[in-house]
């Protein structure tokens, strides 16, 4: 085994056509069959296309041109906050000192990297008003899990075991999933039918019914309808009367940043979606960073190690005996920190305020325009950074569903919004233009939506069978994912 690989050897006296020949490399055999259990080895060869580098490159380049990205046009996926990602973020995130750090490098050699993380933590404290922050979780969903573990650890530290958590029916699917994963039972509370918010009275009913079995409540603010939870402070009071904790899903912070401190709303623990609010390209499952902020009484339970400042040194402190432990390897998704820090510093105090103002202005402008074009929302309250249309009238009168309108948008070269979420809106069509879009871009989106509305009245079939102009038509999405066909094209028509 392990023969030494000699460098490619050139024999000048050889018999090659121009007087030298190359001796092939002596590559050691790894004897895979002996190292990998027989039953795991493939029986037949994989049918992969055999291509030259040039052909493979052209294939992927061609695919990249068929792709859609926020760098191309509006990406109005509600809840996902697909905003512009400044290119300077990428330059900073690629600084070799950040990229090439080995995860086991001792603290004293990564002072710069630790400082970036520390400063970001400090800024998130200022932005949220919370007392301590951990950057460790690598997604919003993992931030939720961290937060719920912290709530459980807090109750356990008082010798209590609470088994229920309250979650409004407008919540993101990750909230009940998190609660279940943490071993709690999620109790759904109904949002107010007309106004689209959770009322303190409903929470009070739950507290009267379940009492100190309630560990806490998870609320998203503004909620997934884009509506500010106006009774959140009363809700916090009701919860605190039995020492239940208020968790805030902070995925929608781009509607609040610079104007509202979650800490002042009575929130005990929250997560940020750094990749959404503070700009990192995301989607398709990652990457993410779900930093968690807590009030003082929950600080001892934050994950370890904590990144701290000791004199003029930055250190990783493991010495927190009550900590819930470690949730992710090493530093979390480190490369999102320099991006978020760059974004925050570049925006500055005033800029951050403007983010939320423009996010709300853009979404409200677009909602009003679409309402003038025949589209309807379900709730009476004003919306903030996003809004949810209900296309139920189009479906009833013309047989055109939210999915059809979404597909038809593709024909006009636009990305579709989120559809069929939140679940409490029938034929939901959830639009979040973000603060990055210009008035021109919003007007264009509204104009295309107007055309589709008219088509739905006059020629519903063209909408029902869309898309017509895309490289592939309507897919059976489940089958396409499960029965993947590997093939290639170079763009030359046969
Ligand atoms: C995006 C989002 C999440 C989940 O965040 P991930 O980073 O995708 O795990 C949770 N709640 C809300 C409201 C969100 O928009």
């Amino acid at each position: 085994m392990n023969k030494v690989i000699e460098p490619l050897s050139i024999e000048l006296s050889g018999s090659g056509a121009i007087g030298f020949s190359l001796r092939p490399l002596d590559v050691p055999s790894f004897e895979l069959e002996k190292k990998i259990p027989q039953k795991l080895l493939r029986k037949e060869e994989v049918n992969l296309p055999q291509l030259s580098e040039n052909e493979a490159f052209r294939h992927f380049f061609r695919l990249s041109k068929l792709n859609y990205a926020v760098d191309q046009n509006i990406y109005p996926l509600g809840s996902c906050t697909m905003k512009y990602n400044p290119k300077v973020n990428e330059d900073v995130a690629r600084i070799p000192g950040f990229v090439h750090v080995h995860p086991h490098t001792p603290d004293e050699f990564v002072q710069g990297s630790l400082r970036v993380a520390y400063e970001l933590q400090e800024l998130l404290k200022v932005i949220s008003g919370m007392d301590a922050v951990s950057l460790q979780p690598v997604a919003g969903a993992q931030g939720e899990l961290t937060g719920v573990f912290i709530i459980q650890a807090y109750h356990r530290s008082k010798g209590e075991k609470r088994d229920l958590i309250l979650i409004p029916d407008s919540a993101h699917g990750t909230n009940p999933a998190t609660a279940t994963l943490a071993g709690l039972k999620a109790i759904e509370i109904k949002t107010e039918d007309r106004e689209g918010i959770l009322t303190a009275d409903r929470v009070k009913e739950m507290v009267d019914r379940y009492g100190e079995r309630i560990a806490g409540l998870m609320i998203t603010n503004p909620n997934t309808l884009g509506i500010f939870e106006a009774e959140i402070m009363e809700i916090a009071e009701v919860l605190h009367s039995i020492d239940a904790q208020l968790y805030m899903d902070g995925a929608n912070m781009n509607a609040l940043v610079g104007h509202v401190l979650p800490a002042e709303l009575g929130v005990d623990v929250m997560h940020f979606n750094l990749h959404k609010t503070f700009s990192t390209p995301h989607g398709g499952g990652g990457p993410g960073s779900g930093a968690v902020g807590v009030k003082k009484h929950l600080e001892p339970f934050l994950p370890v190690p904590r990144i701290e400042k000791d004199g003029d040194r930055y250190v990783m402190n493991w010495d927190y005996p009550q900590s819930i432990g470690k949730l992710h390897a090493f530093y979390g998704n480190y490369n999102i920190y320099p991006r978020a820090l760059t974004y925050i510093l570049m925006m500055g105090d005033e800029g951050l305020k403007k983010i939320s103002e423009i996010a709300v202005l853009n979404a409200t402008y677009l909602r009003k325009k679409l309402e003038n074009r025949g589209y309807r929302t379900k709730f009476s309250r004003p919306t903030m950074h996003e809004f949810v249309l209900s296309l139920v009238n189009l479906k009833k009168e013309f047989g055109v569903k939210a999915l059809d309108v979404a597909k038809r948008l593709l024909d006009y070269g636009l990305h579709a919004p989120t559809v069929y979420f939140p679940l409490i809106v029938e034929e939901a069509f959830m639009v979040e233009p973000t603060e990055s879009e210009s008035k021109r871009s919003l007007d264009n989106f509204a104009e295309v939506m107007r055309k589709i509305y008219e088509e739905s009245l006059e020629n519903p079939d063209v909408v029902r069978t869309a898309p017509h102009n895309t490289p592939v038509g309507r897919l059976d999405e489940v089958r396409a994912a499960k029965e993947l066909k590997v093939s290639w094209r170079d763009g030359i028509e046969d």
Side-chain angles (χ1 to χ4, degrees):
M1 243 203 73
N2 280 350
K3 285 191 220 165
V4 177
I5 302 180
E6 285 175 38
L8 193 67
S9 66
I10 304 173
E11 288 174 17
L12 284 177
S13 57
S15 56
I18 40 175
F20 71 92
S21 64
L22 300 174
R23 237 169 26 94
L25 284 177
D26 213 355
V27 182
S29 146
F30 290 101
E31 297 182 312
L32 276 184
E33 307 75 36
K34 287 198 189 146
K35 292 185 178 155
I36 296 175
Q38 201 58 36
K39 69 170 193 291
L40 296 181
L41 287 175
R42 215 183 269 287
K43 300 287 177 292
E44 298 121 44
E45 225 173 277
V46 203
N47 183 22
L48 289 176
Q50 301 297 310
L51 304 173
S52 69
E53 177 179 331
N54 199 15
E55 285 169 312
F57 185 82
R58 283 182 185 163
H59 169 69
F60 286 110
F61 184 69
R62 193 185 132 269
L63 288 183
S64 78
K65 289 195 291 179
L66 300 180
N67 208 352
Y68 189 97
V70 73
D71 286 350
Q72 192 173 330
N73 211 326
I74 190 170
Y75 210 125
L77 271 186
S79 213
C80 297
T81 314
M82 305 297 264
K83 64 159 90 170
Y84 170 64
N85 301 289
K87 299 301 168 251
V88 64
N89 284 7
E90 302 309 306
D91 294 342
V92 175
R94 280 169 174 72
I95 291 175
F98 294 139
V99 178
H100 299 307
V101 174
H102 190 281
H104 283 302
T105 311
D107 294 357
E108 58 264 38
F109 299 121
V110 286
Q111 285 293 303
S113 298
L114 291 179
R115 180 174 170 197
V116 164
Y118 180 82
E119 305 255 326
L120 178 60
Q121 278 174 195
E122 291 303 299
L123 283 165
L124 293 176
K125 277 159 65 176
V126 174
I127 287 168
S128 62
M130 305 303 277
D131 296 314
V133 166
S134 164
L135 300 178
Q136 199 178 96
V138 290
Q142 205 186 30
E144 293 169 31
L145 189 64
T146 306
V148 171
F149 280 161
I150 288 173
I151 292 174
Q152 286 174 305
Y154 169 70
H155 290 303
R156 253 195 324 265
S157 76
K158 300 181 298 169
E160 291 177 24
K161 187 162 181 342
R162 302 195 181 199
D163 64 333
L164 306 180
I165 192 147
L166 308 176
I167 301 178
D169 56 5
S170 58
H172 196 267
T174 49
N175 292 188
T178 293
T180 309
L181 195 59
L184 291 169
K185 190 158 181 272
I187 307 277
E188 187 177 282
I189 326 190
K190 239 177 96 42
T191 347
E192 222 276 315
D193 271 340
R194 211 170 47 82
E195 305 207 19
I197 60 165
L198 184 64
T199 62
D201 282 345
R202 287 246 164 83
V203 179
K204 182 90 177 54
E205 281 167 28
M206 290 293 175
V207 165
D208 289 343
R209 185 174 333 157
Y210 297 109
E212 290 181 8
R213 283 181 65 190
I214 301 172
L217 179 147
M218 298 179 88
I219 198 165
T220 308
N221 201 16
N223 63 26
T224 59
L225 300 163
I227 300 174
F228 187 80
E229 289 288 357
E231 298 196 14
I232 187 167
M233 292 170 89
E234 291 85 343
I235 290 171
E237 241 173 73
V238 172
L239 292 168
H240 291 155
S241 71
I242 55 161
D243 204 22
Q245 302 293 294
L246 181 58
Y247 183 93
M248 186 175 119
D249 177 331
N252 295 338
M253 271 301 281
N254 68 323
L256 306 181
V257 65
H259 292 272
V260 179
L261 298 177
E264 290 187 353
L265 301 176
V267 171
D268 299 294
V269 43
M270 66 174 291
H271 80 261
F272 305 83
N273 290 60
L274 298 187
H275 47 297
K276 293 179 183 172
T277 312
F278 303 112
S279 80
T280 285
H282 61 276
S289 183
V292 166
V294 293
K295 287 265 178 70
K296 199 89 203 149
H297 65 290
L298 299 179
E299 187 174 352
F301 310 104
L302 279 175
V304 281
R306 304 265 311 273
I307 297 173
E308 294 174 352
K309 201 169 177 193
D310 180 12
D312 56 0
R313 315 285 305 155
Y314 297 92
V315 292
M316 306 256 261
N317 189 349
W318 291 80
D319 191 17
Y320 285 94
Q322 286 184 291
S323 162
I324 59 166
K326 205 162 180 350
L327 274 111
H328 194 80
F330 304 111
Y331 308 86
N333 267 340
Y334 184 85
N335 257 307
I336 293 184
Y337 315 160
R339 287 184 175 95
L341 185 63
T342 304
Y343 186 76
I344 292 172
L345 293 179
M346 205 167 57
M347 288 293 156
D349 206 17
E350 287 303 313
L352 282 183
K353 263 181 135 159
K354 243 186 173 157
I355 289 176
S356 45
E357 285 165 12
I358 298 178
V360 174
L361 179 65
N362 272 3
T364 308
Y365 174 76
L366 191 54
R367 173 168 66 82
K368 290 282 178 194
K369 272 208 116 153
L370 294 181
E371 283 173 346
N372 290 337
R373 305 282 185 273
Y375 293 98
R376 296 278 162 263
T377 45
K378 189 178 152 192
F379 301 98
S380 58
R381 286 198 174 241
T383 51
M384 297 187 79
H385 67 300
E386 65 192 0
F387 58 91
V388 183
L389 300 174
S390 172
L391 304 195
V392 70
N393 60 334
L394 279 188
K395 183 178 164 190
K396 276 194 189 136
E397 289 170 40
F398 312 104
V400 171
K401 303 193 296 289
L403 183 71
D404 305 328
V405 175
K407 295 288 186 196
R408 186 63 177 148
L409 274 170
L410 310 183
D411 281 336
Y412 289 101
L414 298 176
H415 198 282
T418 300
V419 288
Y420 301 105
F421 172 75
L423 304 177
I424 52 174
V425 176
E426 225 181 315
E427 293 300 317
F429 194 88
M430 183 192 204
V431 184
E432 178 179 8
T434 81
E435 62 275 23
S436 315
E437 295 306 315
S438 62
K439 177 168 179 297
R440 219 172 116 72
S441 159
L442 299 175
D443 287 340
N444 178 54
F445 185 80
E447 174 56 17
V448 170
M449 287 292 286
R450 182 194 62 76
K451 278 190 202 149
I452 297 175
Y453 196 89
E454 264 173 27
E455 286 173 345
S456 301
L457 313 192
E458 287 158 14
N459 185 9
D461 255 353
V462 77
V463 184
R464 278 197 294 254
T465 53
H468 307 283
N469 306 335
T470 49
V472 285
R474 205 174 282 209
L475 293 174
D476 177 341
E477 281 155 20
V478 177
R479 223 179 112 217
K482 286 192 170 168
E483 294 171 29
L484 193 64
K485 278 196 196 129
V486 185
S487 66
W488 70 286
R489 268 174 59 190
D490 55 9
I492 299 173
E493 295 303 330
D494 291 318

